[in-house]
Amino acid sequence: MYRFSERLTDVRVEAGYSQKDLAKELNITTSAYGYYEQGRNEPSLETVRLLAKKLDVSTDYLLGIIDEPKHPVKYEITDGFILTDAELFTVKQMKEKQLLSELSKNPIENVDKLVRFWQFMNKETQK
């Protein structure tokens, strides 16, 4: 699991900021900021919030609670049927490629076939 200091460093670099840039944003010295990335000091909750906002990630991501930079957005399609952003994107891709309409012709049998094929593909990639 990522430690806060490691994740903070990775996110900062990916976002293209220097330690000096973020230190200036937080109104602290560059060495004080550097201590966060070294794990020598921990920022206040307000500082974590500001870092997350500046780096465009969730605080939960910085703290290592979740492994996606942002909390997945969920869409309720019908009562109790909820899709995340990634799942909704996948369904849209399947629809664009006419896979949904093909699966819909005999959904139970076709989804079972798709599951078996997917399991086969996963076994092949694990070899």
Side-chain angles (χ1 to χ4, degrees), residues 12-127:
R12 175 187 57 78
V13 169
E14 286 174 18
Y17 292 106
S18 67
Q19 287 185 348
K20 185 177 180 180
D21 295 334
L22 288 180
K24 187 174 181 179
E25 288 285 326
L26 299 172
N27 200 28
I28 60 175
T29 66
T30 303
S31 62
Y33 176 83
Y35 285 170
Y36 297 156
E37 289 191 6
Q38 294 168 24
R40 293 173 67 182
N41 281 344
E42 292 181 351
S44 67
L45 292 175
E46 178 61 15
T47 300
V48 172
R49 187 187 69 76
L50 291 171
L51 285 166
K53 186 174 182 178
K54 184 68 178 176
L55 297 169
D56 196 29
V57 296
S58 74
T59 55
D60 283 350
Y61 180 73
L62 283 177
L63 297 172
I65 296 168
I66 63 174
D67 290 327
E68 294 179 32
K70 296 186 179 194
H71 283 281
V73 176
K74 296 182 179 181
Y75 302 93
E76 185 164 356
I77 308 302
T78 61
D79 292 337
F81 185 74
I82 299 171
L83 295 177
T84 65
D85 267 340
E87 291 167 338
L88 184 59
F89 178 76
T90 302
V91 170
K92 287 179 181 179
Q93 291 296 304
M94 291 173 70
K95 184 164 181 68
E96 284 179 17
K97 294 175 179 20
Q98 283 77 43
L99 185 56
L100 278 182
S101 62
E102 288 297 316
L103 289 171
S104 300
K105 292 177 182 174
N106 188 350
I108 294 172
E109 183 179 324
N110 289 335
V111 170
D112 285 344
K113 287 179 183 178
L114 185 59
V115 168
R116 287 194 308 275
F117 178 72
W118 188 254
Q119 290 168 340
F120 172 77
M121 293 298 293
N122 282 334
K123 287 179 186 174
E124 287 295 307
T125 58
Q126 293 174 0
K127 289 184 179 181

